[in-house]
Amino acid sequence: MMDNERENTDNLFAHLNGQWDTEEPTKGHQDRFLDRLEGSKKKKKKGMLFRLAMPTAAAILILFGIWTMYKPETDTNVAVAKVSPKVQETQMYFAGIIEKELAKVEKEDSPETKMLVKDALLHMDALEKDYDKITKEMLAKGENKQLIHAMITNLQTRISFLEDVLVKIENIKKLKQNYHENNQT
């Protein structure tokens, strides 16, 4: 079997005999090649920095926007803390989770998910307004179990809603990936 393989290789090279380029490259060829290679590496480094800087800057802007919109130290929150420190502590806990989930949803904003993200943000605003109404009612009437339950339910609803949106976004991404895979074969 080894002899057969060797014979096939010999036949291949015999067939290509005389077709090999054996001339020396022109003077300075290697230097020009290395200069081009260096230039290519520099362009790649500049492009890489730009590609890393843009998403980082966008993420910082998104986080700043979330922080300004959903600051934990609003006047209502301070008043809630005075009425019920336990409610305020619970509110802060849920607010942290909501901020993280909301940031994930906003990060997934793409042409395919744009409407879903936009609708999710509108729905979140509506839930936030409902929560503010409940908070104002608690400040007016005082702490009671029904209002506390309504506040916690609102916070849990927001978290569940954002998790559902993230699942839908993942499904959209999978469908897009499957579509591209099927069309490429």
Side-chain angles (χ1 to χ4, degrees):
M1 185 153 200
M2 287 284 269
D3 290 333
N4 191 21
E5 286 178 13
R6 184 179 182 109
E7 187 177 310
N8 286 340
T9 306
D10 289 342
N11 288 337
L12 175 68
F13 283 107
H15 180 274
L16 296 173
N17 195 14
Q19 296 181 14
W20 299 102
D21 183 11
T22 57
E23 292 186 28
E24 287 285 325
T26 59
K27 188 174 184 174
H29 172 77
Q30 184 175 3
D31 293 333
R32 288 190 305 275
F33 177 77
L34 292 174
D35 287 343
R36 258 196 230 162
L37 187 61
E38 279 299 313
S40 173
K41 285 182 182 178
K42 287 178 184 174
K43 286 180 185 176
K44 284 184 182 179
K45 285 182 184 177
K46 286 180 185 177
M48 177 85 89
L49 289 175
F50 183 74
R51 281 185 275 169
L52 290 175
M54 289 306 289
T56 304
I60 290 170
L61 284 174
I62 289 171
L63 290 174
F64 181 74
I66 292 170
W67 180 76
T68 56
M69 287 178 59
Y70 296 100
K71 281 192 282 189
E73 291 301 319
T74 61
D75 294 335
T76 313
N77 289 342
V78 172
V80 169
K82 289 178 183 173
V83 173
S84 175
K86 287 183 180 181
V87 170
Q88 203 264 344
E89 184 180 321
T90 303
Q91 178 181 354
M92 294 298 289
Y93 171 75
F94 280 110
I97 295 171
I98 291 168
E99 284 180 29
K100 288 177 186 174
E101 295 298 305
L102 191 58
K104 288 179 189 175
V105 168
E106 288 178 336
K107 181 182 174 189
E108 295 294 337
D109 193 5
S110 69
E112 294 82 17
T113 61
K114 189 168 212 62
M115 288 303 297
L116 182 61
V117 171
K118 183 180 175 183
D119 289 345
L121 294 176
L122 289 173
H123 193 70
M124 288 298 292
D125 285 340
L127 287 168
E128 179 72 26
K129 288 176 184 173
D130 289 345
Y131 186 82
D132 289 341
K133 288 178 188 175
I134 297 167
T135 304
K136 288 175 184 172
E137 189 174 340
M138 187 176 95
L139 293 174
K141 294 182 178 180
E143 183 179 340
N144 71 48
K145 288 182 180 182
Q146 287 179 323
L147 291 175
I148 292 172
H149 180 72
M151 290 173 82
I152 292 172
T153 301
N154 179 286
L155 294 168
Q156 288 174 330
T157 301
R158 286 194 255 174
I159 293 169
S160 295
F161 173 73
L162 289 171
E163 288 173 346
D164 288 345
V165 169
L166 287 169
V167 167
K168 288 178 183 176
I169 288 171
E170 281 302 312
N171 288 338
I172 289 171
K173 288 166 60 176
K174 285 179 185 175
L175 284 171
K176 180 183 175 189
Q177 183 180 2
N178 288 340
Y179 176 78
H180 287 298
E181 287 174 358
N182 289 338
N183 285 337
Q184 289 180 353
T185 54

